[in-house]
Amino acid sequence: MATERNGADGMSTARRAWLRELGVERLWNLPGAVAPAVATGVEAEAPAAAPPSPVQEPVATAPAVELERAGPVALVQEIPVQEIPVPAAMPADPEQAWAALQDEVRDCMACGLCKGRTQTVFGTGSPKARWLLVGEAPGEQEDKQGAPFVGRSGKLLDSMLASIARSRQQDVFIANVIKCRPPGNRDPLPEEVARCSPYLMRQISLINPEMILVLGRFAAQTLLETDARIGSLRGKVHSLSVAGKKVPVVVSYHPAYLLRSPAEKIKAWQDLQLALSVGRAGN
Ligand code: URA
């Protein structure tokens, strides 16, 4: 785990950076700033009545939430979800199985997305990581560079991880539900999800993470097999069963959505606290 350096007030550099990112460094209040418009292709995650606009719009002032003093969010509910089967054909040696999976994903032509891709995006981090982060699908930059979350939303994700003294290199594995870029960053089609999500299931079973943090509506609905809104999925501890072992799942907003709706970063902070408390409970 990355080390934290504390300043004179006891707050770590990483946490200060995230609070600055939140806009709550001083009084915990978000300023009524103007959010930058980001074309990401990630579906609106706000309530249906008020989807985030693709054009610049003022950000609502958030309630004064005392983030640090609020402490970790309680584990509200545990919802057993789907059983993840381990494929019979998988090599018994985990390293061989991982390498075989990487090869399979690299060469995959199971759906039409293979035609438009530069390369597949398998994921990044250590397969021995204790946390697995799951996003939706590669965007333009990810398709070019072959790694997940390398654009603006990836930078925010790195800041979020740093604020809780975790780094993508050491502490987490980051993967997407879909391994190839959908054209124009459109939502993946059901058939594409059906063809591609077994790769994620195999990644989950091989990593065997202590906790899965799901980023955004699409990934949450896919992994939890639900059409519930993201607002109702976050704040709870869901559960996947992987090879007979229960893995807690925490849902949060997609970083691209947070870039469009900075007022929601406070909720993302709470989600990280929940994820941390789940991780600790599993220790
Ligand atoms: N959005 C995602 O969901 N995944 C990525 O890898 C990049 C952007």
Side-chain angles (χ1 to χ4, degrees), residues 135-138 142 148-149 153 176 254:
E136 176 176 332
E142 290 76 20
F149 286 100
S153 57
N176 286 309
H254 194 286

Side-chain angles (χ1 to χ4, degrees), residues 6 21 43 45 89 95 98 101 111 122 130 132 134 168 204 212 225 228 239 241 263 274:
N6 291 329
E21 183 73 51
E43 273 266 302
E45 289 155 336
E95 281 178 21
W98 189 254
L101 182 55
C111 78
F122 181 75
R130 294 160 82 180
L132 173 65
V134 180
R168 75 159 70 201
I204 294 174
I212 300 176
E225 293 191 321
S239 172
S241 176
L274 177 58

Side-chain angles (χ1 to χ4, degrees), residues 211-235:
M211 201 274 312
I212 300 176
L213 180 62
V214 187
L215 302 169
R217 174 193 60 81
F218 176 85
Q221 291 181 341
T222 303
L223 213 59
L224 301 175
E225 293 191 321
T226 176
D227 54 9
R229 303 247 294 261
I230 188 160
S232 69
L233 295 173
R234 49 172 299 280

